[in-house]
């Protein structure tokens, strides 16, 4: 649902029962759609602890506790505005020395944005 779906709704149906025949309409109902801002953004890492051996695979996952969608995601390292990727997961298939650092996920529903706490990734 989107905010634009708020309004009054009813249904109509054809009735053919005994002496009653014709189109009938239900009593209207009011539907109000409320927006829930994005909040509770958190990160998890595989392997746990975000410590990975040089050349191994690292997967970071971004989870949103609350917020109406659709949601979009962006990944950032070291406070950079340029995203490393989009989507709820960031996969580094072969980690290198330059992959160590502080990672953060940003989630947005188009009206609100929330950021995860930073996660320190260490490539050993």
């Amino acid at each position: 649902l989107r905010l634009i779906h708020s309004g009054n709704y009813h249904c109509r149906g054809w009735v053919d029962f005994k002496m009653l025949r014709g189109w009938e309409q239900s009593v209207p109902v009011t539907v109000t759609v409320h927006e829930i801002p994005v909040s509770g953004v958190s990160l998890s890492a595989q392997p746990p602890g975000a410590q990975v051996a040089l050349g191994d695979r690292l997967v970071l996952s971004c989870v949103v506790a609350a917020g109406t969608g659709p949601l979009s995601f962006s990944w950032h390292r070291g406070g950079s505005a340029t995203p490393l990727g989009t989507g709820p997961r960031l996969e580094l298939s072969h980690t290198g020395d330059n992959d160590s650092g502080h990672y953060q996920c940003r989630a947005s529903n188009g009206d609100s944005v929330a950021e995860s706490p930073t996660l320190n990734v260490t490539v050993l």
Side-chain angles (χ1 to χ4, degrees), residues 18 20 27 35-36 38 42-43 45-46 49 51 53 56-57 60 69 87 96 102 107-108 111 118-119 121:
K18 296 184 180 180
L20 185 59
V27 175
E35 177 183 307
I36 300 171
V38 176
S42 62
L43 290 183
Q46 188 61 29
Q51 290 190 353
D56 282 357
R57 179 174 171 249
L60 301 178
H102 293 87
S108 174
D111 295 314
T118 57
L119 178 67
V121 170

Side-chain angles (χ1 to χ4, degrees), residues 54-73:
L54 184 67
D56 282 357
R57 179 174 171 249
L58 172 70
V59 178
L60 301 178
S61 298
C62 187
V63 176
V64 176
T68 51
L71 298 175
S72 62
F73 299 88

